[in-house]
Amino acid sequence: MTTKEQQTFVETMPVVWIYVAPPSADQSLQFIQLGLEEEGIPCAVKHVEGNSAHELAAEAAKASSLGVGVGLVEISKEAALHHRDLPNEKKLIEIKEDIYNSGSLRRLGANSARFVKGTPLMPVVAAEVEYPELSGRSEGESKANQNTHADEIDLKLLIRIVVEVVGKLNSGKADL
């Protein structure tokens, strides 16, 4: 198989795409991938230009045959989860600097997979801090900030999307 054929094959595989803006975000990326792996959903990574995790996640969701994408911008300490049927201005889950840590990134990956499977999502802000050096603060400071953050989620739209995806999966019409 040639390199071009391999690239085409990877781009059409049923995966959650993770779009990462430079500079490299290897450690943060590994936590997101770990969350997806724990839930049994494959992912693929593409390094792209951008400065908004939300915009990258929306682009990744459109590229994913599963309809779910993640955006990661290490330099501004943000990560986001998006679904292709969600309007671009709406945010499904977004992690910003105040809760950007290994636990919340891992939960973001797990929630990406859970969204694909149609299982209940886990709260991102309740994630334990495993490696406080990611956020540059002590564990106590990170946990204190977690209690003041609330993700903006349009629950009615989220429920509609989940019901649609599960219905397609159950009817065998899912574009996987």
Side-chain angles (χ1 to χ4, degrees), residues 56-119:
L56 293 179
E59 289 176 32
K62 288 177 182 146
S64 169
S65 61
L66 298 175
V68 176
V70 175
L72 177 62
V73 181
E74 177 73 18
I75 199 157
S76 60
K77 297 204 179 297
E78 4 170 31
L81 166 64
H82 198 77
H83 189 275
R84 76 169 151 234
D85 293 339
L86 192 63
N88 281 351
E89 65 276 0
K90 294 287 186 179
K91 297 177 180 176
L92 189 54
I93 297 177
E94 189 169 49
I95 297 173
K96 295 254 185 194
E97 186 176 2
D98 58 338
I99 62 164
Y100 188 91
N101 58 59
S102 61
S104 62
L105 291 169
R106 191 170 171 177
R107 288 268 178 107
L108 181 73
N111 280 336
S112 301
R114 286 170 167 250
F115 199 75
V116 169
K117 297 188 304 185
T119 57

